[in-house]
Amino acid sequence: MSELLRVEGLKKYFKTPKGQLHAVDGVSFSIEKGKTLGVVGESGCGKSTLGRCIIHLLDTTDGKIFFEGKDITNIRKEDLKESRKDMQMIFQDPFSSINPRMTVKSIIMEPMVIHNMYGGDKAKQEEKVLEIMDTVGLARRLADSYPHELDGGRRQRIGIARALALEPKFIVCDEPVSALDVSIQAQILNLMQDLQEERGLTYIFITHDMSVVKHISDDICVMYLGTLVEKCPADKLFEKQFHPYTEALLSAIPVAKVGARRERILLKGEITSPINPEPGCRFAPRCLRAKPECFRKQPELKELEPEHFVACHLY
Ligand code: SF4
């Protein structure tokens, strides 16, 4: 397997009237071709900002992004259009990410028109749209429907079809099933896994739902307030967690066994402000195992076991 994407020390700060908001603060990881990296954490931890920086919907403040070995951090505008063919995004809410005045066919076809696919041959583009609709399980008869005429699952299939229109290699999936009913979530996740197998796609899968991330990921990064706190293969993380925040996250997953219970760790305390954050571990005010050092020095990500990285002063 070869590496498709590498991110080194990525930072994204926003200016606010109160100071610099550290949305993403020095995140590093890599993904191999055909694999899925799950990125988990609670709302506001910077996971969506991270995804948007990687595909250049947002500029980065610092750090490097490499795609197929090429540094694309400060890619020129002309080259960005070309790289969009390889890197696409699926958004959480298809209602706000697709134009409600366009038909299903025109939504899926729009990227092909922008990129002048098939030399601008409209008949070929339309044929491709119908093929993609077959692939994502959207009936061809819906081609002239509008998004509001369809249910949530079908609308998300439009989002996936649009992301596939340019035959990308890599897709950032930003909470793609969070707004859907549980039964529809399973259908969409299975569809995404089938597409990955057929097309060798590589995903970053952003979610706050640990059950979903377990189902779909090869590797997992856990984020807390802009920093990466734990990173390892998915099966290892569900066997053993080192970081107190990861332990708390996993304790919230329901156990699917009659009579079985998992002790829930309830986090208390104030969430640190991401604006001009104090030195020290960002999780310290809520951590049940915090010690004085935790409030003074930010822990570095260390490899505790093969492929298992943790940022915590306990180790
Ligand atoms: Fe808790 Fe300290 Fe580890 Fe942070 S570094 S998670 S405060 S023990």
Side-chain angles (χ1 to χ4, degrees):
M1 279 286 170
S2 56
E3 181 183 280
L4 184 86
L5 180 90
R6 183 153 43 91
V7 169
E8 288 179 0
L10 192 88
K11 292 184 183 175
K12 176 63 186 172
Y13 298 168
F14 294 96
K15 276 193 188 133
T16 74
K18 291 183 180 169
Q20 296 252 30
L21 188 151
H22 294 217
V24 178
D25 214 354
V27 169
S28 303
F29 58 78
S30 62
I31 314 175
E32 290 184 349
K33 278 184 187 157
K35 297 280 182 188
T36 300
L37 176 77
V39 179
V40 286
E42 57 200 358
S43 298
C45 72
K47 52 194 190 306
S48 294
T49 306
L50 173 69
R52 281 160 201 249
C53 286
I54 290 170
I55 63 161
H56 289 83
L57 287 180
L58 288 172
D59 291 333
T60 52
T61 305
D62 199 5
K64 294 265 178 218
I65 305 165
F66 297 89
F67 188 75
E68 294 186 314
K70 195 174 145 202
D71 185 349
I72 58 160
T73 321
N74 298 310
I75 193 167
R76 294 181 312 164
K77 278 227 163 74
E78 311 85 270
D79 298 332
L80 184 58
K81 188 174 171 191
E82 202 50 34
S83 89
R84 285 261 186 271
K85 287 187 192 166
D86 290 333
M87 307 169 93
Q88 288 287 314
M89 188 149 185
I90 300 171
F91 296 89
Q92 174 180 1
D93 181 3
F95 240 148
S96 53
S97 61
I98 55 186
N99 188 339
R101 292 167 200 269
M102 291 169 77
T103 61
V104 172
K105 182 170 74 184
S106 47
I107 290 167
I108 303 171
M109 205 159 92
E110 193 181 28
M112 299 181 197
V113 174
I114 293 169
H115 287 267
N116 203 31
M117 227 170 142
Y118 305 116
D121 185 329
K122 207 158 176 265
K124 282 196 180 157
Q125 290 176 350
E126 282 190 6
E127 188 46 44
K128 181 73 181 171
V129 168
L130 296 176
E131 268 176 37
I132 297 174
M133 288 181 69
D134 293 342
T135 307
V136 301
L138 273 173
R140 290 186 175 207
R141 66 183 157 78
L142 300 175
D144 294 316
S145 305
Y146 288 88
H148 72 269
E149 297 174 295
L150 308 178
D151 57 47
R154 286 199 179 93
R155 278 201 296 271
Q156 193 52 292
R157 285 175 199 265
I158 303 173
I160 296 172
R162 187 181 159 100
L164 293 177
L166 299 174
E167 299 181 348
K169 296 173 182 166
F170 168 68
I171 303 180
V172 173
C173 315
D174 187 6
E175 305 256 16
V177 296
S178 308
L180 305 174
D181 291 343
V182 175
S183 58
I184 311 286
Q185 279 189 7
Q187 289 174 19
I188 297 291
L189 289 175
N190 290 340
L191 168 66
M192 293 181 67
Q193 283 183 315
D194 291 346
L195 290 170
Q196 182 171 45
E197 260 173 47
E198 281 163 24
R199 298 169 178 236
L201 288 168
T202 307
Y203 295 139
I204 284 188
F205 197 96
I206 296 166
T207 181
H208 62 271
D209 186 330
M210 293 302 284
S211 318
V212 167
V213 86
K214 183 181 183 184
H215 181 76
I216 198 148
S217 308
D218 294 293
D219 296 293
I220 297 181
C221 288
V222 182
M223 281 185 74
Y224 187 79
L225 274 186
T227 61
L228 222 168
V229 297
E230 192 154 1
K231 177 174 85 165
C232 68
D235 46 355
K236 280 196 180 187
L237 191 80
F238 285 88
E239 250 171 45
K240 188 173 180 183
Q241 316 86 45
F242 288 101
H243 199 280
Y245 176 62
T246 317
E247 281 177 356
L249 270 186
L250 264 75
S251 78
I253 305 178
V255 185
K257 198 174 160 194
V258 180
R261 287 190 64 188
R262 181 181 292 156
E263 200 180 329
R264 178 93 193 257
I265 302 170
L266 290 174
L267 295 176
K268 295 186 184 132
E270 279 285 310
I271 299 178
T272 312
S273 170
I275 299 174
N276 298 335
E278 299 284 326
C281 171
R282 305 252 165 106
F283 187 57
R286 299 169 84 193
C287 182
L288 301 172
R289 294 153 78 185
K291 41 189 189 167
E293 184 189 9
C294 304
F295 292 88
R296 288 195 303 268
K297 199 171 142 214
Q298 188 166 351
E300 283 175 18
L301 205 64
K302 282 184 250 165
E303 190 168 13
L304 293 191
E305 288 181 357
E307 300 180 283
H308 200 149
F309 296 82
V310 185
C312 176
H313 289 309
L314 291 176
Y315 309 101

